[in-house]
């Protein structure tokens, strides 16, 4: 972990045009270069930088909310009734799994601060957002979506050796590792978004692949796969 790998080719889960529309607020990358951070990703290397970047991160959150009133809804969502499909929410739009055949759909802010309205195929449904963790969307048609916040147990691939567990944005290492719980930056992540952590004074990053099962492809070539919790 911690190797400098600045080139990685990201897969697409939406059209080029829609991806470009996401702009700098998205943790979604169509370019081959993933060596720079985007959106709200914070890379913490020293105490001085940590203080400055924390302030910058707070400013970005405020800017995101001003630009996108549904900024808290951003992420990759799993329909609990169809766990093999995921939808992406970003910039007030739902980007559907290819299997659905749906074009990106606009979300309108609902009557309550934690609600949004979707009109799909002429039918209107309302979603209510619950912060969690993990965050949950409860739809008026009884559908329930759970945000993939990487929660669960992770193992190395292909060896299946256990690595640890992700809970509440922290990676809790298995007993064979001499590491304290490590904060993950860049969550919630969109497909092919970058997740970073500071480990032993070095910043390392992975590309998030939602699967299922979810995978983290680390810049040093190591791959982790989630086995439970999603």
């Amino acid at each position: 972990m911690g190797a400098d790998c600045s080139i990685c080719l990201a897969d697409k889960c939406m059209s080029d045009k829609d991806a470009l529309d996401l702009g700098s607020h998205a943790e979604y990358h169509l370019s081959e270069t993933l060596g720079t951070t985007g959106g709200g990703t914070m890379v913490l290397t020293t105490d001085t930088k940590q203080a400055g970047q924390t302030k910058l991160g707070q400013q970005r959150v405020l800017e995101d909310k001003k630009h996108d009133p549904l900024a808290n809804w951003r992420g990759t969502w799993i329909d609990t009734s169809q766990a093999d499909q995921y939808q992406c929410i970003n910039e007030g739009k739902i980007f559907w799994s290819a299997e659905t055949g749906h074009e990106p759909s606009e979300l309108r802010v609902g009557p309550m601060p934690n609600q949004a309205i979707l009109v799909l195929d002429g039918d209107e449904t309302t979603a209510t957002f619950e912060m969690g963790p993990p965050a949950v969307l409860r739809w008026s048609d009884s559908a329930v979506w759970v945000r993939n916040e990487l929660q669960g147990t992770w193992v190395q691939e292909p060896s299946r050796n256990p690595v640890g567990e992700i809970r509440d944005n922290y990676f809790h290492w298995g007993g064979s590792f001499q590491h304290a719980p490590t904060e993950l930056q860049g969550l919630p992540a969109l497909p092919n978004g970058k997740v970073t952590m500071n480990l032993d004074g070095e910043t390392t990053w992975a590309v998030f692949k939602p699967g299922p099962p979810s995978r983290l492809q680390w810049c040093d070539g190591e791959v982790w796969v989630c086995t439970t919790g999603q």
Side-chain angles (χ1 to χ4, degrees), residues 46-60:
T46 67
D47 291 341
T48 301
K49 289 183 178 180
Q50 183 172 8
Q53 289 185 342
T54 299
K55 182 176 181 181
L56 177 61
Q58 293 171 345
Q59 292 173 344
R60 283 173 172 168

Side-chain angles (χ1 to χ4, degrees), residues 166-181:
I166 294 179
R167 299 193 308 270
D168 302 337
N169 293 355
Y170 276 81
F171 193 84
H172 298 263
W173 298 88
S176 61
F177 298 90
Q178 302 300 314
H179 298 306

Side-chain angles (χ1 to χ4, degrees), residues 54-119:
T54 299
K55 182 176 181 181
L56 177 61
Q58 293 171 345
Q59 292 173 344
R60 283 173 172 168
V61 168
L62 294 175
E63 291 172 0
D64 282 352
K65 289 184 176 180
K66 182 177 180 181
H67 177 73
D68 177 10
L70 298 176
N72 285 341
W73 298 47
R74 181 181 303 160
T76 302
W77 296 83
I78 302 168
D79 187 336
T80 56
S81 66
Q82 296 176 304
D84 60 335
Q85 295 184 11
Y86 64 86
Q87 334 299 338
C88 310
I89 295 181
N90 198 64
E91 297 287 344
K93 286 184 179 181
I94 298 178
F95 297 88
W96 302 89
S97 293
E99 294 85 352
T100 68
H102 297 312
E103 294 294 322
S105 304
E106 295 280 354
L107 284 170
R108 302 198 318 266
V109 176
M112 301 293 290
N114 65 332
Q115 291 184 331
I117 297 170
L118 167 69
V119 178

